[in-house]
Amino acid sequence: MEMWEWDSIYHKSYEDIRSSIEDVRGIFVAYNSNIDAIKHIGVVDIEHLLMNVELKDVQEKVFEYPRQIESPSDLVARLIIAMRDGKAAEVPTNTTAIHDWLTDHLVFDSARMGGQAGIISNLLASMGIGKVITYVPWLSEEQAEYFVDSENLLFPVVEGGELVLKHPKQAFDPDNIPKINWILEFSKGMEVKFAEEHFVIPRDNRLIISSRPKWIRIEMSPELYERIPQLQADIDGAILAGYQMIKEEYEDGSTYMDYVEKAVNVIEKLKEGNPDIRIHVEFTSIQNKVIRKAILKQIVRQHVHSLGLDTVEVANALNVLGYEELAYSVINKGENAIVSLYEGAVKLLKELELERVHIHSLGFYICLVSKDCPVSTEDHLKALLFGSTVAAAQASHGEILSMEGTESGLDVPISVEGHNELEKLEKHLVRSGICCTEDFENGCISTPLYDALVIPTKVVSEPVATVGIGDAISATSFVGFLSKIK
């Protein structure tokens, strides 16, 4: 399909989903929200950081590829790696000393809502979704201030033995303290000189230093847990994120399996209240392979309907599911990377027994859908195009303040690179006998085992911010999907 034809379909799909989305009663969103301290790293900043660490240590760390930030050298090494590769990364730290070191050596540019669940809650509430019921176990007074002032944004609490929904600013625990992440953003084209290395950053992206203090727990009080089914009249779907906060072992002797079990129990409680509810998990970069595997096999498989991932997260998921060669092909971004990504989506749909797998990559989306999915491929395609439009608007302006504000995404051009990538995938699928050229034209492919949606997306050449774009893509596409079930 030519670019102008896609542009026409974008406009029609956007209007269609925008009207049907009013039928969605509400969404339950949990678990992670935090405060993001955002710093755009320039040449002077990286030079200053390098002056305050041992260069030899950083060189060694770059080679070792630290999976956790325990020292300033770890931090600078992971920043060098992220800038060199132009890849987004999220790396945990369990020590507040890293936050203190960054505060001493960098002044953040701004602070805003962070965490997948927090970002998604604010976005959907601003778009006017019926009810957005958000839940974070560590809601503090400071954190509550970063939730948008919207009457449809609610937080569940138990008062006098009854479930009550309040705005987060009326529901925080005064004893809780905020969780603060650092977002170190960098821009394409910046030259970096480090020891004997000299490179130019290939694309805009960021490194997230994710704070994991000891008191973080993915759980809820027994009183609230027992009343979750009472939300049945308020929600049609749930978007769950933040499972990366789970640790292998805790100081009190509990393990990751205790919190995996709690996570599954909450999903079952949601289903108890509404057997037709659809559960979406938004994946993220998880350094710990034990936790990554447990999330996929014990939480996602059989208990969840939908999974959202980016390219790196697909490779990480495939790796722990036993598809190391395919994972390498995805992450290597070679000539046939999109083919490997498509094949990876097929593996994930089957291995995790899902209803849908939505992969968002720069320039295109791949979404595989099971044959028993209650939404047609045509409507599913509309939901994806709607999600791309909203994400383009957010990338253009930095935030979405209303449903009307999403319409500007229609003015963003479709990615030429993404369109070209789809042509590569088309040739492979036709050669393999999976589909014919005509099937691929409208982005909808039907096979005996699954249906596939592949679309070129709208890409902002100079985004105001990159954090939260993937969350916007997945959340709004999923809500568009829900609107067609209704």
Side-chain angles (χ1 to χ4, degrees):
M1 190 182 297
E2 298 298 323
M3 300 278 277
W4 66 269
E5 293 176 289
W6 274 113
D7 202 49
S8 175
I9 294 176
Y10 257 98
H11 280 77
K12 293 176 182 177
S13 297
Y14 173 82
E15 293 299 335
D16 186 295
I17 297 296
R18 182 170 171 175
S19 62
S20 66
I21 214 166
E22 298 173 355
D23 295 330
V24 177
R25 294 179 300 171
I27 304 288
F28 178 78
V29 186
Y31 290 92
N32 61 329
S33 67
N34 52 261
I35 300 169
D36 281 346
I38 303 155
K39 175 65 179 177
H40 192 90
I41 300 293
V43 174
V44 174
D45 297 311
I46 191 64
E47 289 176 350
H48 178 72
L49 292 179
L50 288 168
M51 287 173 58
N52 286 278
V53 291
E54 290 291 334
L55 292 184
K56 184 179 178 182
D57 289 345
V58 175
Q59 285 179 288
E60 292 175 355
K61 297 291 187 179
V62 168
F63 178 76
E64 293 172 2
Y65 197 90
R67 302 278 181 180
Q68 186 168 296
I69 303 298
E70 297 178 349
S71 69
S73 295
D74 290 334
L75 187 153
V76 176
R78 283 307 301 260
L79 179 58
I80 292 291
I81 292 168
M83 292 192 299
R84 181 192 66 198
D85 298 342
K87 293 179 180 177
E90 180 174 347
V91 191
T93 181
N94 296 317
T95 170
T96 57
I98 296 300
H99 170 69
D100 296 338
W101 189 84
L102 280 167
T103 303
D104 290 340
H105 294 286
L106 292 176
V107 177
F108 61 80
D109 301 323
S110 60
R112 66 185 178 203
M113 171 64 81
Q116 295 154 297
I119 291 170
I120 290 169
S121 296
N122 276 354
L123 170 64
L124 297 182
S126 297
M127 288 173 60
I129 303 302
K131 286 184 179 179
V132 179
I133 301 173
T134 188
Y135 174 75
V136 54
W138 50 86
L139 183 66
S140 65
E141 182 174 10
E142 187 175 352
Q143 179 69 70
E145 289 298 320
Y146 287 84
F147 282 98
V148 296
D149 288 318
S150 182
E151 292 182 358
N152 61 334
L153 180 59
L154 302 164
F155 193 96
V157 294
V158 178
E159 294 182 347
E162 299 294 328
L163 180 67
V164 180
L165 298 177
K166 295 182 171 184
H167 190 277
K169 291 181 182 179
Q170 280 78 54
F172 64 84
D173 185 335
D175 294 328
N176 285 343
I177 57 177
K179 175 183 179 298
I180 301 175
N181 287 358
W182 277 78
I183 313 296
L184 305 180
E185 298 185 327
F186 44 84
S187 296
K188 174 182 178 180
M190 188 178 90
E191 292 187 52
V192 178
K193 294 180 180 179
F194 161 65
E196 297 178 356
E197 290 194 54
H198 180 198
F199 60 86
V200 175
I201 297 176
R203 63 181 62 85
D204 296 339
N205 233 314
R206 80 276 179 181
L207 172 69
I208 301 176
I209 308 301
S210 180
S211 170
R212 306 280 172 83
K214 294 180 180 180
W215 41 264
I216 290 289
R217 296 288 193 277
I218 299 296
E219 61 182 357
M220 60 177 58
S221 69
E223 294 80 10
L224 178 58
Y225 168 78
E226 290 298 333
R227 291 166 177 78
I228 285 295
Q230 295 177 25
L231 296 174
Q232 60 177 312
D234 298 305
I235 57 174
D236 295 312
I239 300 175
L240 307 177
Y243 293 130
Q244 67 272 18
M245 302 293 176
I246 297 174
K247 294 165 59 176
E248 277 196 67
E249 296 181 355
Y250 293 84
E251 292 75 12
D252 60 4
S254 58
T255 72
Y256 70 97
M257 284 307 301
D258 294 302
Y259 290 90
V260 165
E261 183 179 352
K262 290 181 180 183
V264 170
N265 288 343
V266 170
I267 293 173
E268 294 307 314
K269 280 291 182 182
L270 287 167
K271 292 178 179 178
E272 180 184 324
N274 178 5
D276 296 323
I277 195 172
R278 288 302 188 276
I279 310 289
H280 174 88
V281 164
E282 188 62 10
F283 210 50
T284 191
S285 178
I286 302 170
Q287 305 296 321
N288 187 306
K289 289 186 177 182
V290 173
I291 302 302
R292 194 191 310 162
K293 188 174 183 178
I295 291 168
L296 291 170
K297 290 199 167 187
Q298 269 79 50
I299 298 177
V300 173
R301 182 187 283 170
Q302 295 186 340
H303 302 291
V304 168
H305 302 91
S306 174
L307 182 66
L309 319 87
D310 66 18
T311 302
V312 174
E313 292 155 8
V314 170
N316 288 341
L318 291 171
N319 181 270
V320 295
L321 292 176
Y323 300 101
E324 292 87 354
E325 188 174 337
L326 185 55
Y328 176 79
S329 182
V330 167
I331 205 70
N332 194 39
K333 295 200 172 187
E335 181 67 22
N336 294 313
I338 189 170
V339 174
S340 299
L341 200 59
Y342 181 91
E343 292 174 351
V346 174
K347 299 294 186 187
L348 293 177
L349 188 75
K350 179 182 177 182
E351 286 281 335
L352 301 177
E353 303 176 29
L354 292 161
E355 195 169 76
R356 70 190 288 270
V357 173
H358 180 191
I359 298 170
H360 47 89
S361 187
L362 186 64
F364 63 88
Y365 303 159
I366 296 174
C367 186
L368 262 59
V369 184
S370 67
K371 282 295 186 181
D372 58 356
C373 181
V375 172
S376 70
T377 54
E378 292 78 10
D379 282 340
H380 220 126
L381 182 70
K382 293 174 185 175
L384 295 173
L385 296 172
F386 177 80
S388 174
T389 304
V390 175
Q394 178 160 320
S396 298
H397 306 293
E399 61 180 337
I400 298 295
L401 301 177
S402 66
M403 178 63 86
E404 288 70 27
T406 65
E407 193 169 356
S408 64
L410 291 171
D411 298 328
V412 175
I414 293 169
S415 169
V416 174
E417 292 81 2
H419 192 266
N420 292 340
E421 284 295 302
L422 294 192
E423 289 182 352
K424 293 180 187 177
L425 180 59
E426 176 187 3
K427 291 176 182 177
H428 167 76
L429 296 178
V430 172
R431 282 197 306 266
S432 303
I434 295 175
C435 72
C436 62
T437 302
E438 291 73 20
D439 295 331
F440 202 86
E441 274 297 294
N442 65 354
C444 302
I445 303 163
S446 180
T447 79
L449 300 177
Y450 59 85
D451 293 319
L453 297 307
V454 287
I455 68 165
T457 63
K458 293 176 173 291
V459 175
V460 177
S461 58
E462 296 183 3
V464 173
T466 58
V467 173
I469 300 302
D471 302 325
I473 292 166
S474 291
T476 52
S477 297
F478 179 68
V479 173
F481 159 75
L482 288 180
S483 75
K484 291 304 179 181
I485 295 179
K486 295 296 290 183

